[in-house]
Amino acid sequence: MASFKLNIAQIKGCPPPDEVLAAMDEFGLPKIEEFGVLSCSATDKVVLATIVRKTQQAVQRLDTEAKELTAAPVEKAVAYPVAIKPASDVVEIYAGSATGIEQIGYFLSGCLAFPVVVEPIKIDIPSAIDKLVANTERCQLQRVRVSDYSHNSFMIGPYTPKFLDSQHGMDFLNEYVEAVTSASLRFAGPSGRVMVTLSQAACFSFSCSDDDLPYVQSILRKLI
């Protein structure tokens, strides 16, 4: 199985795909800018692009002659494959964490000067689990992470129990529903087992067969 990401956000005020594509082509991959466009293409409904963000990081090295550590700057590049769908007010990011949503919003508004607002989409985890159970085969809730769990009168903090039975997992989730931050499930895909983790934002991590990728993405989009 391969690992994938699907982070979905709302985009408001985005121009049509042809305008976005033209702006990306013009912006290109400048050497002095923090962001760049590695590749882009468009249809009448969607813009597909890979946005690159460059940052400088200091790496420590050992100077054996001086017997001291020195810091040398290193450029780090992070790629964000995205699909921008202006007609449905949605942008999908296929790599990185939820912070990538903010980065793509900054690129579109700051670098391309579009009057757009990109915002995370919040999902209700219990409702999302119900939808997965209804729309997949052999769906099982495996883990639930809560931010505040009281083990006893002297201890409280994050807790991520693993469940062998979905009903026990749902009972735990319902008891601590206000503190739930993520949930992990597995279900049967067309070609094999699928493992998926849901978070409060519409940011999904999942593992599946390459052949099942379109199927899993379609299932996850329905949770929005």
mmCIF file of all heavy atoms in Angstrom, residues 189-224:
data_model
loop_
_atom_site.group_PDB
_atom_site.id
_atom_site.type_symbol
_atom_site.label_atom_id
_atom_site.label_comp_id
_atom_site.label_asym_id
_atom_site.label_seq_id
_atom_site.Cartn_x
_atom_site.Cartn_y
_atom_site.Cartn_z
ATOM 1 N N GLY A 189 -11.432 -1.602 0.164
ATOM 2 C CA GLY A 189 -11.503 -0.947 -1.131
ATOM 3 C C GLY A 189 -11.655 -1.971 -2.236
ATOM 4 O O GLY A 189 -11.644 -3.185 -1.979
ATOM 5 N N PRO A 190 -11.809 -1.540 -3.466
ATOM 6 C CA PRO A 190 -11.971 -2.477 -4.582
ATOM 7 C C PRO A 190 -10.797 -3.447 -4.733
ATOM 8 O O PRO A 190 -10.992 -4.603 -5.133
ATOM 9 C CB PRO A 190 -12.076 -1.555 -5.806
ATOM 10 C CG PRO A 190 -12.576 -0.262 -5.262
ATOM 11 C CD PRO A 190 -11.960 -0.136 -3.902
ATOM 12 N N SER A 191 -9.576 -2.978 -4.408
ATOM 13 C CA SER A 191 -8.396 -3.816 -4.612
ATOM 14 C C SER A 191 -7.736 -4.273 -3.322
ATOM 15 O O SER A 191 -6.771 -5.038 -3.365
ATOM 16 C CB SER A 191 -7.351 -3.064 -5.450
ATOM 17 O OG SER A 191 -7.888 -2.664 -6.687
ATOM 18 N N GLY A 192 -8.223 -3.814 -2.191
ATOM 19 C CA GLY A 192 -7.595 -4.199 -0.933
ATOM 20 C C GLY A 192 -7.989 -3.279 0.206
ATOM 21 O O GLY A 192 -8.865 -2.418 0.073
ATOM 22 N N ARG A 193 -7.309 -3.427 1.319
ATOM 23 C CA ARG A 193 -7.630 -2.677 2.531
ATOM 24 C C ARG A 193 -7.232 -1.209 2.392
ATOM 25 O O ARG A 193 -6.225 -0.875 1.786
ATOM 26 C CB ARG A 193 -6.897 -3.293 3.718
ATOM 27 C CG ARG A 193 -7.201 -2.659 5.060
ATOM 28 C CD ARG A 193 -6.451 -3.374 6.164
ATOM 29 N NE ARG A 193 -5.002 -3.283 5.956
ATOM 30 C CZ ARG A 193 -4.111 -3.896 6.723
ATOM 31 N NH1 ARG A 193 -4.506 -4.660 7.722
ATOM 32 N NH2 ARG A 193 -2.824 -3.747 6.479
ATOM 33 N N VAL A 194 -8.051 -0.339 2.989
ATOM 34 C CA VAL A 194 -7.793 1.102 3.025
ATOM 35 C C VAL A 194 -7.693 1.534 4.484
ATOM 36 O O VAL A 194 -8.538 1.163 5.302
ATOM 37 C CB VAL A 194 -8.918 1.893 2.330
ATOM 38 C CG1 VAL A 194 -8.654 3.404 2.436
ATOM 39 C CG2 VAL A 194 -9.062 1.474 0.878
ATOM 40 N N MET A 195 -6.664 2.306 4.799
ATOM 41 C CA MET A 195 -6.492 2.880 6.132
ATOM 42 C C MET A 195 -6.591 4.392 5.997
ATOM 43 O O MET A 195 -5.916 4.981 5.148
ATOM 44 C CB MET A 195 -5.134 2.505 6.713
ATOM 45 C CG MET A 195 -4.811 1.022 6.683
ATOM 46 S SD MET A 195 -5.724 0.082 7.915
ATOM 47 C CE MET A 195 -4.982 0.716 9.419
ATOM 48 N N VAL A 196 -7.421 5.038 6.819
ATOM 49 C CA VAL A 196 -7.606 6.475 6.706
ATOM 50 C C VAL A 196 -7.670 7.111 8.089
ATOM 51 O O VAL A 196 -8.215 6.524 9.031
ATOM 52 C CB VAL A 196 -8.887 6.810 5.903
ATOM 53 C CG1 VAL A 196 -10.130 6.246 6.583
ATOM 54 C CG2 VAL A 196 -9.031 8.316 5.710
ATOM 55 N N THR A 197 -7.094 8.298 8.213
ATOM 56 C CA THR A 197 -7.154 9.079 9.446
ATOM 57 C C THR A 197 -7.882 10.382 9.163
ATOM 58 O O THR A 197 -7.514 11.121 8.232
ATOM 59 C CB THR A 197 -5.747 9.381 9.995
ATOM 60 O OG1 THR A 197 -5.106 8.148 10.325
ATOM 61 C CG2 THR A 197 -5.834 10.234 11.256
ATOM 62 N N LEU A 198 -8.917 10.662 9.957
ATOM 63 C CA LEU A 198 -9.699 11.883 9.834
ATOM 64 C C LEU A 198 -9.246 12.879 10.892
ATOM 65 O O LEU A 198 -8.945 12.503 12.016
ATOM 66 C CB LEU A 198 -11.190 11.592 10.049
ATOM 67 C CG LEU A 198 -11.804 10.389 9.341
ATOM 68 C CD1 LEU A 198 -13.254 10.218 9.771
ATOM 69 C CD2 LEU A 198 -11.708 10.556 7.836
ATOM 70 N N SER A 199 -9.215 14.157 10.538
ATOM 71 C CA SER A 199 -8.922 15.198 11.510
ATOM 72 C C SER A 199 -10.065 16.204 11.527
ATOM 73 O O SER A 199 -10.973 16.139 10.694
ATOM 74 C CB SER A 199 -7.606 15.906 11.178
ATOM 75 O OG SER A 199 -7.729 16.649 9.984
ATOM 76 N N GLN A 200 -10.024 17.147 12.469
ATOM 77 C CA GLN A 200 -11.104 18.122 12.583
ATOM 78 C C GLN A 200 -11.171 19.014 11.359
ATOM 79 O O GLN A 200 -12.263 19.430 10.951
ATOM 80 C CB GLN A 200 -10.915 18.965 13.848
ATOM 81 C CG GLN A 200 -11.158 18.188 15.135
ATOM 82 C CD GLN A 200 -10.890 19.015 16.365
ATOM 83 O OE1 GLN A 200 -9.891 19.728 16.437
ATOM 84 N NE2 GLN A 200 -11.776 18.928 17.340
ATOM 85 N N ALA A 201 -10.022 19.368 10.785
ATOM 86 C CA ALA A 201 -10.021 20.020 9.487
ATOM 87 C C ALA A 201 -10.178 18.928 8.435
ATOM 88 O O ALA A 201 -9.972 17.753 8.716
ATOM 89 C CB ALA A 201 -8.720 20.796 9.273
ATOM 90 N N ALA A 202 -10.573 19.325 7.235
ATOM 91 C CA ALA A 202 -10.760 18.334 6.170
ATOM 92 C C ALA A 202 -9.404 17.948 5.592
ATOM 93 O O ALA A 202 -9.124 18.144 4.405
ATOM 94 C CB ALA A 202 -11.679 18.889 5.100
ATOM 95 N N CYS A 203 -8.565 17.371 6.445
ATOM 96 C CA CYS A 203 -7.227 16.932 6.062
ATOM 97 C C CYS A 203 -7.123 15.443 6.348
ATOM 98 O O CYS A 203 -7.171 15.025 7.507
ATOM 99 C CB CYS A 203 -6.160 17.711 6.831
ATOM 100 S SG CYS A 203 -6.170 19.480 6.492
ATOM 101 N N PHE A 204 -6.996 14.662 5.289
ATOM 102 C CA PHE A 204 -7.058 13.213 5.402
ATOM 103 C C PHE A 204 -5.717 12.590 5.033
ATOM 104 O O PHE A 204 -5.123 12.939 4.008
ATOM 105 C CB PHE A 204 -8.134 12.652 4.474
ATOM 106 C CG PHE A 204 -9.472 13.325 4.617
ATOM 107 C CD1 PHE A 204 -9.936 14.199 3.640
ATOM 108 C CD2 PHE A 204 -10.258 13.108 5.735
ATOM 109 C CE1 PHE A 204 -11.161 14.828 3.761
ATOM 110 C CE2 PHE A 204 -11.478 13.729 5.874
ATOM 111 C CZ PHE A 204 -11.943 14.591 4.882
ATOM 112 N N SER A 205 -5.257 11.669 5.865
ATOM 113 C CA SER A 205 -4.108 10.831 5.548
ATOM 114 C C SER A 205 -4.627 9.422 5.309
ATOM 115 O O SER A 205 -5.439 8.926 6.105
ATOM 116 C CB SER A 205 -3.096 10.823 6.704
ATOM 117 O OG SER A 205 -2.657 12.122 7.005
ATOM 118 N N PHE A 206 -4.178 8.780 4.252
ATOM 119 C CA PHE A 206 -4.695 7.432 3.994
ATOM 120 C C PHE A 206 -3.677 6.595 3.231
ATOM 121 O O PHE A 206 -2.774 7.121 2.574
ATOM 122 C CB PHE A 206 -6.028 7.494 3.232
ATOM 123 C CG PHE A 206 -5.973 8.173 1.891
ATOM 124 C CD1 PHE A 206 -5.861 7.423 0.730
ATOM 125 C CD2 PHE A 206 -6.061 9.553 1.782
ATOM 126 C CE1 PHE A 206 -5.823 8.040 -0.512
ATOM 127 C CE2 PHE A 206 -6.022 10.184 0.549
ATOM 128 C CZ PHE A 206 -5.914 9.426 -0.603
ATOM 129 N N SER A 207 -3.846 5.284 3.352
ATOM 130 C CA SER A 207 -3.015 4.320 2.650
ATOM 131 C C SER A 207 -3.934 3.382 1.890
ATOM 132 O O SER A 207 -4.961 2.931 2.424
ATOM 133 C CB SER A 207 -2.152 3.519 3.630
ATOM 134 O OG SER A 207 -1.286 4.370 4.357
ATOM 135 N N CYS A 208 -3.573 3.093 0.661
ATOM 136 C CA CYS A 208 -4.386 2.194 -0.154
ATOM 137 C C CYS A 208 -3.574 1.751 -1.361
ATOM 138 O O CYS A 208 -2.470 2.248 -1.610
ATOM 139 C CB CYS A 208 -5.683 2.880 -0.606
ATOM 140 S SG CYS A 208 -5.442 4.257 -1.761
ATOM 141 N N SER A 209 -4.125 0.835 -2.125
ATOM 142 C CA SER A 209 -3.525 0.446 -3.386
ATOM 143 C C SER A 209 -3.583 1.618 -4.356
ATOM 144 O O SER A 209 -4.527 2.416 -4.334
ATOM 145 C CB SER A 209 -4.287 -0.752 -3.966
ATOM 146 O OG SER A 209 -3.978 -0.950 -5.329
ATOM 147 N N ASP A 210 -2.576 1.737 -5.209
ATOM 148 C CA ASP A 210 -2.579 2.800 -6.217
ATOM 149 C C ASP A 210 -3.836 2.749 -7.080
ATOM 150 O O ASP A 210 -4.367 3.791 -7.488
ATOM 151 C CB ASP A 210 -1.347 2.689 -7.115
ATOM 152 C CG ASP A 210 -0.061 3.054 -6.397
ATOM 153 O OD1 ASP A 210 -0.135 3.788 -5.391
ATOM 154 O OD2 ASP A 210 1.021 2.607 -6.839
ATOM 155 N N ASP A 211 -4.316 1.545 -7.354
ATOM 156 C CA ASP A 211 -5.505 1.402 -8.191
ATOM 157 C C ASP A 211 -6.755 1.942 -7.500
ATOM 158 O O ASP A 211 -7.727 2.310 -8.171
ATOM 159 C CB ASP A 211 -5.730 -0.071 -8.545
ATOM 160 C CG ASP A 211 -4.624 -0.626 -9.436
ATOM 161 O OD1 ASP A 211 -3.961 0.174 -10.135
ATOM 162 O OD2 ASP A 211 -4.417 -1.856 -9.422
ATOM 163 N N ASP A 212 -6.735 2.004 -6.171
ATOM 164 C CA ASP A 212 -7.909 2.452 -5.413
ATOM 165 C C ASP A 212 -7.893 3.938 -5.103
ATOM 166 O O ASP A 212 -8.823 4.450 -4.472
ATOM 167 C CB ASP A 212 -8.014 1.677 -4.091
ATOM 168 C CG ASP A 212 -8.415 0.231 -4.294
ATOM 169 O OD1 ASP A 212 -8.819 -0.116 -5.429
ATOM 170 O OD2 ASP A 212 -8.327 -0.562 -3.338
ATOM 171 N N LEU A 213 -6.850 4.651 -5.528
ATOM 172 C CA LEU A 213 -6.728 6.063 -5.173
ATOM 173 C C LEU A 213 -7.940 6.898 -5.593
ATOM 174 O O LEU A 213 -8.492 7.644 -4.763
ATOM 175 C CB LEU A 213 -5.439 6.640 -5.767
ATOM 176 C CG LEU A 213 -5.185 8.131 -5.515
ATOM 177 C CD1 LEU A 213 -5.146 8.433 -4.027
ATOM 178 C CD2 LEU A 213 -3.890 8.569 -6.187
ATOM 179 N N PRO A 214 -8.413 6.821 -6.851
ATOM 180 C CA PRO A 214 -9.590 7.631 -7.219
ATOM 181 C C PRO A 214 -10.829 7.278 -6.390
ATOM 182 O O PRO A 214 -11.611 8.168 -6.020
ATOM 183 C CB PRO A 214 -9.795 7.295 -8.705
ATOM 184 C CG PRO A 214 -8.464 6.820 -9.177
ATOM 185 C CD PRO A 214 -7.862 6.094 -8.018
ATOM 186 N N TYR A 215 -10.992 5.990 -6.095
ATOM 187 C CA TYR A 215 -12.142 5.555 -5.299
ATOM 188 C C TYR A 215 -12.092 6.151 -3.897
ATOM 189 O O TYR A 215 -13.085 6.700 -3.399
ATOM 190 C CB TYR A 215 -12.166 4.028 -5.220
ATOM 191 C CG TYR A 215 -13.060 3.470 -4.138
ATOM 192 C CD1 TYR A 215 -14.439 3.388 -4.317
ATOM 193 C CD2 TYR A 215 -12.522 3.019 -2.929
ATOM 194 C CE1 TYR A 215 -15.263 2.886 -3.316
ATOM 195 C CE2 TYR A 215 -13.332 2.511 -1.927
ATOM 196 C CZ TYR A 215 -14.704 2.445 -2.130
ATOM 197 O OH TYR A 215 -15.510 1.947 -1.135
ATOM 198 N N VAL A 216 -10.934 6.094 -3.252
ATOM 199 C CA VAL A 216 -10.807 6.604 -1.882
ATOM 200 C C VAL A 216 -10.981 8.117 -1.857
ATOM 201 O O VAL A 216 -11.652 8.671 -0.974
ATOM 202 C CB VAL A 216 -9.457 6.196 -1.263
ATOM 203 C CG1 VAL A 216 -9.302 6.781 0.127
ATOM 204 C CG2 VAL A 216 -9.328 4.679 -1.224
ATOM 205 N N GLN A 217 -10.390 8.819 -2.821
ATOM 206 C CA GLN A 217 -10.557 10.272 -2.875
ATOM 207 C C GLN A 217 -12.023 10.634 -3.023
ATOM 208 O O GLN A 217 -12.494 11.594 -2.395
ATOM 209 C CB GLN A 217 -9.736 10.851 -4.032
ATOM 210 C CG GLN A 217 -8.233 10.824 -3.783
ATOM 211 C CD GLN A 217 -7.453 11.372 -4.974
ATOM 212 O OE1 GLN A 217 -7.877 11.241 -6.111
ATOM 213 N NE2 GLN A 217 -6.305 11.959 -4.700
ATOM 214 N N SER A 218 -12.748 9.901 -3.853
ATOM 215 C CA SER A 218 -14.175 10.168 -4.031
ATOM 216 C C SER A 218 -14.946 9.966 -2.730
ATOM 217 O O SER A 218 -15.821 10.771 -2.377
ATOM 218 C CB SER A 218 -14.739 9.253 -5.123
ATOM 219 O OG SER A 218 -16.129 9.408 -5.250
ATOM 220 N N ILE A 219 -14.612 8.912 -1.979
ATOM 221 C CA ILE A 219 -15.274 8.645 -0.710
ATOM 222 C C ILE A 219 -15.005 9.773 0.293
ATOM 223 O O ILE A 219 -15.902 10.253 0.988
ATOM 224 C CB ILE A 219 -14.802 7.299 -0.136
ATOM 225 C CG1 ILE A 219 -15.343 6.126 -0.963
ATOM 226 C CG2 ILE A 219 -15.213 7.147 1.332
ATOM 227 C CD1 ILE A 219 -16.846 5.929 -0.853
ATOM 228 N N LEU A 220 -13.755 10.222 0.351
ATOM 229 C CA LEU A 220 -13.383 11.267 1.313
ATOM 230 C C LEU A 220 -14.001 12.615 0.963
ATOM 231 O O LEU A 220 -14.365 13.395 1.841
ATOM 232 C CB LEU A 220 -11.872 11.374 1.405
ATOM 233 C CG LEU A 220 -11.154 10.133 1.934
ATOM 234 C CD1 LEU A 220 -9.637 10.338 1.942
ATOM 235 C CD2 LEU A 220 -11.636 9.795 3.345
ATOM 236 N N ARG A 221 -14.111 12.907 -0.328
ATOM 237 C CA ARG A 221 -14.741 14.171 -0.729
ATOM 238 C C ARG A 221 -16.192 14.244 -0.262
ATOM 239 O O ARG A 221 -16.718 15.335 0.016
ATOM 240 C CB ARG A 221 -14.673 14.343 -2.252
ATOM 241 C CG ARG A 221 -13.259 14.596 -2.778
ATOM 242 C CD ARG A 221 -13.275 14.863 -4.277
ATOM 243 N NE ARG A 221 -11.912 15.050 -4.789
ATOM 244 C CZ ARG A 221 -11.291 14.195 -5.588
ATOM 245 N NH1 ARG A 221 -11.904 13.065 -5.956
ATOM 246 N NH2 ARG A 221 -10.059 14.450 -5.999
ATOM 247 N N LYS A 222 -16.834 13.120 -0.174
ATOM 248 C CA LYS A 222 -18.236 13.098 0.259
ATOM 249 C C LYS A 222 -18.402 13.391 1.743
ATOM 250 O O LYS A 222 -19.522 13.598 2.219
ATOM 251 C CB LYS A 222 -18.859 11.728 -0.052
ATOM 252 C CG LYS A 222 -18.964 11.433 -1.550
ATOM 253 C CD LYS A 222 -19.495 10.047 -1.806
ATOM 254 C CE LYS A 222 -19.549 9.731 -3.302
ATOM 255 N NZ LYS A 222 -20.011 8.342 -3.563
ATOM 256 N N LEU A 223 -17.297 13.421 2.495
ATOM 257 C CA LEU A 223 -17.376 13.720 3.920
ATOM 258 C C LEU A 223 -17.467 15.224 4.187
ATOM 259 O O LEU A 223 -17.736 15.637 5.315
ATOM 260 C CB LEU A 223 -16.152 13.160 4.654
ATOM 261 C CG LEU A 223 -15.895 11.653 4.501
ATOM 262 C CD1 LEU A 223 -14.672 11.259 5.316
ATOM 263 C CD2 LEU A 223 -17.110 10.850 4.927
ATOM 264 N N ILE A 224 -17.223 16.027 3.153
ATOM 265 C CA ILE A 224 -17.232 17.475 3.312
ATOM 266 C C ILE A 224 -18.674 17.989 3.337
ATOM 267 O O ILE A 224 -19.457 17.663 2.471
ATOM 268 C CB ILE A 224 -16.443 18.171 2.189
ATOM 269 C CG1 ILE A 224 -15.030 17.599 2.119
ATOM 270 C CG2 ILE A 224 -16.423 19.666 2.395
ATOM 271 C CD1 ILE A 224 -14.257 17.721 3.414
#
